[in-house]
Amino acid sequence: MQQEQKRRLARILKEKSYREGDFVLASGRRSDYYFDCRVTALSAEGSWLIGSLFNDLLADLAIRGVGGMTLGADPLVTATTVISWERGRPLHGLIVRKEAKGHGTGQFVEGLGNFAPGDAVAMLEDVVTTGGSLLKACERVRDAGLEIAAVCAILDREEGGREAIAEAGYNLLSLFTRKELVDLAR
């Protein structure tokens, strides 16, 4: 079943989220292709597949929840938490702001009320190129008192992000590398 779901997600990603052209990525790098995973993650079937596959990927980890940097991770966190409830293993969600909230508590991390200090979480990302935004989200979650048990992505572009993440002490778990996604989408 999982392989069928991965194949279906790969096809949806290729159809809805893959673009060729001249793009500047969040890392500042230029690329001749771009994956806008939000389009897939915000579709009903894509969301269900992403949530299901992330839950499969995280099944053996002792975690209390999942989180990620807004805006790209918002639908990933939501899909993963909803499917976790459906499967009887509820995971709570965290959203990490790019900038501290300018009013109220002024915090970087939303959803902390569902966690206790020291709880383990997995961080989610749509696409990893250099790993910069994922590592920034991890830093903010650690600063908020939680432990990072895993870092996960839909797509590893295989452009140095995995290595940067490993250098920071984490192991990147990805649903696809670019090659795997292209091969499965055929």
Side-chain angles (χ1 to χ4, degrees):
M1 179 65 121
Q2 185 181 14
Q3 194 61 22
E4 288 175 31
Q5 289 177 350
K6 278 187 80 167
R7 181 170 279 109
R8 179 65 187 144
L9 180 57
R11 288 181 181 142
I12 294 171
L13 283 164
K14 187 171 182 207
E15 173 191 321
K16 292 183 178 287
S17 297
Y18 178 75
R19 301 288 175 263
E20 292 182 347
D22 183 30
F23 301 96
V24 177
L25 306 176
S27 64
R29 292 184 180 180
R30 296 195 83 78
S31 178
D32 60 355
Y33 74 96
Y34 180 70
F35 275 98
D36 183 358
C37 289
R38 288 170 297 222
V39 178
T40 297
L42 291 168
S43 72
E45 184 181 10
S47 179
W48 183 84
L49 288 165
I50 289 166
S52 296
L53 290 167
F54 271 145
N55 271 277
D56 292 345
L57 195 64
L58 299 168
D60 295 331
L61 296 177
I63 58 173
R64 178 106 171 110
V66 295
M69 185 73 80
T70 200
L71 180 74
D74 293 5
L76 312 181
V77 169
T78 301
T80 304
T81 60
V82 169
I83 296 296
S84 75
W85 176 264
E86 184 180 76
R87 291 186 177 186
R89 182 188 181 223
L91 299 172
H92 299 297
L94 295 166
I95 299 296
V96 180
R97 294 176 176 274
K98 290 180 174 35
E99 302 295 329
K101 196 161 90 170
H103 59 282
T105 61
Q107 61 191 14
F108 275 109
V109 182
E110 296 296 336
L112 288 172
N114 294 313
F115 297 87
D119 279 348
V121 298
M123 299 302 291
L124 308 180
E125 180 71 284
D126 53 0
V127 179
V128 169
T129 303
T130 64
S133 62
L134 185 55
L135 290 173
K136 182 178 278 301
C138 288
E139 178 183 336
R140 290 188 177 155
V141 168
R142 274 194 332 269
D143 289 349
L146 302 178
E147 299 297 321
I148 309 298
V151 292
C152 309
I154 295 173
L155 176 67
D156 174 6
R157 287 177 58 107
E158 300 178 292
E159 295 182 20
R162 179 178 297 276
E163 293 77 12
I165 289 165
E167 192 173 297
Y170 306 112
N171 179 35
L172 177 65
L173 307 172
S174 62
L175 297 179
F176 305 101
T177 62
R178 180 186 182 191
K179 181 181 180 343
E180 289 168 339
L181 192 144
V182 170
D183 288 348
L184 278 173
R186 288 188 176 129

